[in-house]
Amino acid sequence: MPVTVTDLRTWKAAGRRFPMLTAYDHPTAQILDEAGIPVLLVGDSVANNVLGYETTLPVTMEEMLHHTRAVSRGTTNAMVVGDMPFLSYQVSIEEGIRNAGRFLKEGGAHAVKLEGAMVELTEALSSRGIPVMAHIGLTPQSVHAMGGYRVQGRGEQAARILDEAMALEKAGAFSIVLEGIPMELGREITATLQIPTIGIGAGPHCDGQVLVITDLLGLGAGRYPKFAKPYANLRAQISEAVQAFARDVEAGTFPDEEHSYT
Ligand code: KIV
């Protein structure tokens, strides 16, 4: 049985911290699952990290389901969370329920994630057996409304974000991602809620921490956000490997006998 919403609640009560990572494809999901990462998020960040879009806004339900299926097929122990893309849940409760259901029914996900204070929809999904991971603070689908990727919850905004967190917990969310907020607010929300908080740029006091896998592996071409820590430099390693292959081909040293049939 994969990690469940009950496990996460138990970990929170026991003060056990946990990691979450984004995964977008089958081999990465297998590696993360085997490494014991308990929660894999098929993030809509697939849009700007894998599919070459500028923002997360263009990614579609069909694209998200395609990646969610690949991740689900590569996972045995981890909980798989499908990230609902822009406009798949904002138009009406009915459309939100139908699209969320598709992540479980067609994508093999165990839960969905929604950005923003979608209190009514969270209640509707939770009461229909669709577990909801909420996501507040810096919500990338609202990049244009926020005027860019800006830290949220400074000064007077803090009380509003705390209120949103409490309302989402009350509505039935089983966990909540806190993105791009001051660490003091991350600590206050974490201390207030019974459900686990999962931080990304929300300081060290959250119950869990999430990173985008391409940031963690150092696959990105540009600058990394302040909160992202590259634990490897795979971009350089991949470049070295393919250049070594190209040199061997040009020199006629690949394939050698070992890699040829008689
Ligand atoms: O899509 C994503 O990668 C996310 C994380 C940043 C939480 O929503």
Side-chain angles (χ1 to χ4, degrees), residues 2 13 41 46 51-52 54 83 86 105 193 224-225 227 232 237:
L41 170 68
V46 69
L51 300 178
E54 270 294 305
D83 206 3
F86 180 59
K105 215 172 155 68
L193 301 189
Y224 293 99
F227 57 74
Q237 279 185 265

Side-chain angles (χ1 to χ4, degrees), residues 21-106:
L21 284 171
T22 66
Y24 312 117
D25 62 65
H26 185 260
T28 308
Q30 279 186 321
I31 294 168
L32 303 188
D33 193 58
E34 283 163 20
I37 302 298
V39 189
L40 303 189
L41 170 68
V42 189
D44 64 350
S45 53
V46 69
N48 45 333
N49 287 288
V50 172
L51 300 178
Y53 296 121
E54 270 294 305
T55 68
T56 58
L57 301 189
V59 74
T60 65
M61 268 302 294
E62 299 315 316
E63 286 169 325
M64 288 306 302
L65 287 172
H66 176 76
H67 287 278
T68 305
R69 280 192 289 269
V71 168
S72 300
R73 286 193 292 264
T75 307
T76 309
N77 300 311
M79 171 193 289
V80 175
V81 181
D83 206 3
M84 295 194 66
F86 180 59
L87 274 201
S88 69
Y89 61 100
Q90 291 93 340
V91 175
S92 70
I93 299 287
E94 196 180 317
E95 205 168 282
I97 296 170
R98 193 156 286 129
N99 282 325
R102 291 188 70 194
F103 274 94
L104 273 62
K105 215 172 155 68
E106 300 172 40

